[in-house]
């Protein structure tokens, strides 16, 4: 089992969710339970460098199998351990190809410990789950694609060796529609991810502390829909909302996203250069990026003004006064005027800043990349970029 060695949030959450899909050893290192469904699940937890050390009772009734007190240890590491108080497998069936299909999976009171920290979560629940076989997981190229319909994790805590580093109230994800084995619609959210800034050791977190943030709470949300027949991909929302700081949101519409493109991208996920080549004929139809301030801009301006030894209004006036010179590189007088006006409004009275790209016809990514190398100042014109503030 690959235990998370880093106390970072992403590593910890990945470790929790990956309990349901790990590199499995084909041989059972635990005593068979008498239930094919329970054995298949435990076999996926029993990995090459980890062992299902023990479990409590295994009860089956009416299509539900409940396993209590699972303990998974990391070979050669006395501190590496995962415990799951209760595991509930509903409507399970081991298929002819060795895959385990579940109507639902619920893990309650999961604890992961390691020598540099650990994590815990109150509950992880997944519906319409299809887990790969041990043979598939042991292959160099395991199956690609979602194996679930909905996923929710609640009350997550991330620890380092000094104590609690972060907690997350809720993580949810859903696959709302499918085209064969490919998802065509879905959404996700992370709610109440609170980080103790003082516990993090980096230049970025020192900057946050200097700005007056002892903790930072972030919500994430995203949703999208792919129409394989029309070859369009619409990301209707991708938002990061940092409380008492700022929120950043993105929406995007792409064309030329065919079944072949998606299939090839999945196949070349470990070859980024080849994957980029597949995007040459994908087009941008429109895009929007919006920044909404919630005190972060004012904090930064106050801090920089203090460093310069001037009052904040004077510092802002100096910044906005230099905009015409800085914007000359755009070589587009109309856009220069828009940017100067919007940025001046935003810095003077921080509210929102919105950038839109609305070309009259879809623009291929190959054209954008070529323009970026030869004449980057032309990109705003190609994409018909506009900018507004406080609207």
């Amino acid at each position: 089992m690959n235990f998370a060695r880093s106390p970072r949030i992403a590593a910890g959450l990945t470790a929790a969710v990956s309990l349901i899909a790990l590199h499995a050893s084909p041989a059972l290192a635990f005593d068979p339970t008498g239930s094919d469904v329970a054995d298949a699940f435990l076999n996926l937890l029993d990995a090459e460098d980890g062992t299902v050390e023990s479990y409590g009772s295994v009860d089956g009734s009416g299509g539900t199998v409940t396993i209590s007190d699972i303990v998974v240890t990391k070979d050669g590491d006395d501190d590496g351990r995962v415990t799951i108080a209760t595991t509930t497998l509903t409507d399970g069936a081991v298929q002819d190809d060795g895959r385990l299909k579940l109507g639902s999976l619920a893990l309650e009171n999961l604890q992961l410990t390691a020598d540099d920290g650990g994590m815990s979560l109150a509950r992880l629940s997944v519906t319409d789950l299809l887990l790969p076989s041990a043979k598939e997981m042991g292959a160099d190229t395991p199956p690609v694609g979602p194996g679930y319909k909905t996923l929710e994790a609640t009350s997550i805590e991330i620890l380092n060796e000094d104590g609690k580093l972060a907690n997350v109230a809720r993580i949810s994800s859903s696959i709302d529609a499918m085209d064969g084995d490919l998802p065509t619609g879905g959404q996700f959210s992370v709610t109440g991810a609170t980080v103790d800034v003082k516990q993090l050791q980096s230049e970025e977190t020192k900057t946050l502390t200097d700005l007056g943030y002892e903790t930072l709470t972030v919500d994430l949300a995203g949703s999208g829909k792919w129409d394989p027949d029309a070859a369009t991909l619409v990301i209707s929302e991708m938002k990061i909302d940092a409380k008492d700081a700022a929120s950043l949101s993105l929406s995007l519409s792409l064309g030329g996203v065919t079944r072949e493109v998606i299939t090839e991208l999945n196949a070349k996920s470990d070859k980024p250069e080849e994957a980029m080549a597949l995007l040459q004929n994908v087009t941008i139809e429109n895009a929007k990026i919006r920044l909404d301030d919630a005190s972060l801009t004012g904090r930064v301006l106050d801090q920089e003004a203090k460093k310069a030894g001037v009052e904040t209004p004077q510092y802002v006036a100096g910044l906005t006064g230099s905009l015409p010179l800085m914007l000359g590189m755009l070589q587009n007088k109309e856009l220069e005027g828009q940017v100067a006006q919007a940025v001046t409004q935003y810095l003077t009275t921080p509210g929102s800043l919105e950038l839109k790209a609305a070309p009259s016809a879809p623009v291929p990514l190959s054209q954008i990349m070529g323009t970026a190398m030869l004449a980057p100042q032309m990109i705003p014109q190609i994409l018909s970029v506009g900018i507004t503030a406080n609207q």
Side-chain angles (χ1 to χ4, degrees):
M1 172 172 286
N2 293 324
F3 284 82
R5 305 293 295 178
S6 168
R8 296 178 182 175
I9 295 175
L13 297 180
T14 300
V17 177
S18 66
L19 283 172
I20 62 174
L22 292 169
H23 293 281
S25 169
L28 295 180
F30 53 87
D31 293 332
T33 66
S35 164
D36 291 342
V37 170
D39 287 347
F41 180 76
L42 291 173
N43 194 28
L44 287 175
L45 300 184
D46 196 80
E48 294 177 358
D49 59 348
T51 301
V52 175
E53 183 178 276
S54 63
Y55 57 86
S57 62
V58 177
D59 299 314
S61 175
T64 298
V65 176
T66 303
I67 312 171
S68 67
D69 301 323
I70 295 175
V71 178
V72 184
T73 57
K74 181 176 174 61
D75 296 342
D77 184 353
D78 294 336
D79 295 321
R81 178 180 296 264
V82 171
T83 61
I84 309 170
T86 305
T87 301
T88 304
L89 312 169
T90 304
D91 296 331
V94 181
Q95 299 184 332
D96 292 340
D97 56 9
R99 295 179 176 182
L100 175 60
K101 186 175 182 179
L102 299 170
S104 66
L105 164 70
L107 309 179
E108 296 183 20
N109 191 12
L110 181 149
Q111 304 279 337
L112 182 152
T113 58
D115 56 8
D116 57 357
M119 67 157 292
S120 66
L121 60 84
R123 181 178 174 85
L124 172 67
S125 59
V126 192
T127 64
D128 290 350
L129 181 63
L130 180 62
L131 295 172
S133 67
K135 181 178 180 180
E136 287 175 321
M137 289 306 300
D140 293 334
T141 55
V144 177
Y148 69 95
K149 183 175 179 60
T150 65
L151 180 149
E152 180 181 62
T154 57
S155 300
I156 303 151
E157 288 191 352
I158 311 298
L159 309 174
N160 63 12
E161 57 269 26
D162 298 321
K164 186 168 73 172
L165 175 67
N167 59 272
V168 182
R170 180 175 178 266
I171 297 174
S172 66
S173 175
S174 68
I175 305 298
D176 299 330
M178 298 286 292
D179 178 66
D181 292 332
L182 299 174
T184 59
Q187 54 190 309
F188 77 93
S189 67
V190 178
T191 306
T194 302
V195 180
D196 186 343
V197 176
K198 300 186 299 299
Q199 290 274 24
L200 301 175
Q201 302 295 325
S202 71
E203 190 61 34
E204 292 78 7
T205 55
K206 182 180 182 303
T207 300
L208 288 173
T209 303
D210 292 343
L211 290 172
Y213 294 104
E214 295 185 358
T215 63
L216 194 64
T217 299
V218 179
D219 292 343
L220 308 175
S223 62
K225 184 177 182 179
W226 170 50
D227 185 335
D229 294 324
T232 57
L233 173 64
V234 177
I235 299 174
S236 53
E237 179 188 48
M238 190 71 68
K239 185 175 184 179
I240 304 173
D241 185 2
K243 305 301 181 184
D244 297 321
S247 67
L248 183 67
S249 60
L250 165 72
S251 61
L252 179 69
S253 293
L254 302 176
V257 187
T258 63
R259 289 183 178 87
E260 290 74 20
V261 166
I262 295 296
T263 301
E264 287 297 316
L265 283 175
N266 284 336
K268 299 184 182 300
S269 58
D270 59 342
K271 299 176 181 178
E273 292 184 2
E274 295 183 23
M276 283 299 297
L278 295 170
L279 300 176
Q280 296 294 310
N281 294 323
V282 172
T283 62
I284 292 182
E285 298 182 348
N286 59 71
K288 180 176 73 174
I289 301 175
R290 181 182 175 93
L291 174 69
D292 286 280
D293 183 67
S295 85
L296 178 61
T297 303
R299 293 178 190 232
V300 173
L301 291 174
D302 289 345
Q303 183 185 70
E304 293 304 311
K306 185 177 180 180
K307 290 179 182 178
V310 298
E311 296 296 321
T312 301
Q314 183 181 351
Y315 181 76
V316 171
L319 281 179
T320 57
S322 64
L323 284 173
L325 180 62
M326 291 189 293
L327 295 173
M329 68 180 71
L330 294 176
Q331 299 180 22
N332 184 323
K333 291 298 181 183
E334 181 180 354
L335 182 59
E336 289 174 25
Q338 283 187 34
V339 174
Q341 180 181 2
V343 173
T344 298
Q345 289 178 351
Y346 179 79
L347 293 178
T348 303
T349 308
S352 66
L353 199 62
E354 186 172 281
L355 189 70
K356 288 185 177 180
S360 58
V363 181
L365 290 181
S366 57
Q367 181 181 354
I368 296 173
M369 290 186 285
T371 303
M373 291 187 290
L374 300 176
Q377 73 278 3
M378 295 298 295
I379 290 180
Q381 183 175 336
I382 291 172
L383 293 175
S384 297
V385 171
I387 185 170
T388 56
N390 300 343
Q391 293 183 12

